[in-house]
Amino acid sequence: MTAGRLLGNLGLTLVLLTSALIGVYAFLFQAGVAGSPEFHARFETRYVFASMHVLGSGVALLLGGMQFLTRLRTRVPALHRRLGQLYLLMILVGGIGGLGLAPVAHGGLVARVGFASLALLWLVSAGRAWFAIRAGDVVLHRHWMLRNFAMTFAAVTLRLHLGLLQLAGFSFDEAYPLVAWLAWVPNLLLVEWWLGWRGHRDTLRAST
Ligand code: HEM
């Protein structure tokens, strides 16, 4: 196994484990056994959007990483297709819920615009991935799915950044508006950089 592939496998394992952890947290939150009382009180005022968001996004987070497992995709393509359809449906449900929650999110205007932008881009990228595969364009589908999952994974990176900022001395109230952007903008930039690098490498290979 090459160093690059080993690194890739380690990265995907980490993504799957952290996604499972936060995905399970979403269900515990919905069951009322986890999460802060302040969040629960606010979510009660938008119960339908909140439930759509927490349950839909939770399932999407549990499914999303698995779709990048090459073995699953190549050995059981029908399962990849079914899980992919469920993933996109859950994003539709979770994204609409996220849009409904954004106007009341903690952290004022900066956090609210950050979450609303994320919700919109999450829905748009899911739509682009779906249209690409319906048109039979597998490469474009993969690119949009990568962008989309970079945003699904914001549920993990948000909590990571929140913890790190608080360790660095920021209060929760100071950190929250920042993580509404930090949770997803660097993830997306990383994916764009990776797609650009791969495209450049493939062009070089084709010309030699
Ligand atoms: C990617 C698009 C996403 C958007 C736009 C989004 C948006 C939001 C918003 C606006 C809130 C309310 C924040 C507040 O009231 O201050 C929230 C909370 C929450 N979201 Fe998301 N979210 C996304 C992804 C996810 C995913 C993938 C999960 C799966 C675990 C998730 C699980 C939760 C949970 C459990 C809460 C409750 C607050 C907490 O305890 O942290 N979200 N989200």
Side-chain angles (χ1 to χ4, degrees):
M1 188 183 283
T2 63
R5 180 158 290 193
L6 184 69
L7 209 67
N9 285 348
L10 275 176
L12 186 54
T13 307
L14 204 65
V15 164
L16 287 170
L17 286 176
T18 51
S19 297
L21 210 69
I22 304 299
V24 168
Y25 167 74
F27 295 104
L28 296 178
F29 181 93
Q30 184 67 21
V33 292
S36 83
E38 190 228 320
F39 274 78
H40 280 290
R42 193 171 40 254
F43 280 29
E44 279 298 317
T45 67
R46 298 217 159 183
Y47 187 74
V48 175
F49 281 134
S51 303
M52 282 171 71
H53 177 63
V54 172
L55 293 175
S57 309
V59 175
L61 187 62
L62 288 175
L63 294 178
M66 289 198 297
Q67 295 295 86
F68 294 99
L69 291 168
T70 312
R71 272 195 203 152
L72 181 86
R73 232 174 28 241
T74 50
R75 289 194 189 163
V76 217
L79 183 63
H80 174 78
R81 257 198 313 276
R82 282 275 167 256
L83 291 182
Q85 285 162 350
L86 184 61
Y87 173 76
L88 289 176
L89 181 68
M90 290 300 107
I91 287 177
L92 186 64
V93 173
I96 293 173
L99 264 184
L101 281 180
V104 296
H106 185 81
L109 191 64
V110 174
R112 290 168 188 174
V113 175
F115 284 129
S117 313
L118 170 61
L120 279 175
L121 290 175
W122 202 36
L123 288 166
V124 168
S125 58
R128 297 294 300 257
W130 188 72
F131 280 117
I133 203 61
R134 299 296 297 172
D137 193 335
V138 177
V139 174
L140 194 63
H141 169 71
R142 268 183 73 84
H143 289 187
W144 278 110
M145 274 305 194
L146 266 172
R147 294 182 180 112
N148 178 267
F149 187 71
M151 290 185 265
T152 307
F153 199 64
V156 174
T157 40
L158 182 144
R159 284 150 186 101
L160 186 73
H161 288 302
L162 198 55
L164 288 176
L165 285 174
Q166 285 178 281
L167 276 179
F170 286 76
S171 70
F172 180 83
D173 287 351
E174 287 166 343
Y176 207 72
L178 297 179
V179 299
W181 294 90
L182 271 179
W184 59 279
V185 176
N187 296 7
L188 260 189
L189 290 177
L190 190 70
V191 164
E192 289 306 328
W193 168 81
W194 193 76
L195 289 176
W197 174 80
R198 288 255 313 204
H200 184 63
R201 188 198 62 180
D202 294 348
T203 314
L204 276 181
R205 275 188 186 161
S207 65
T208 52

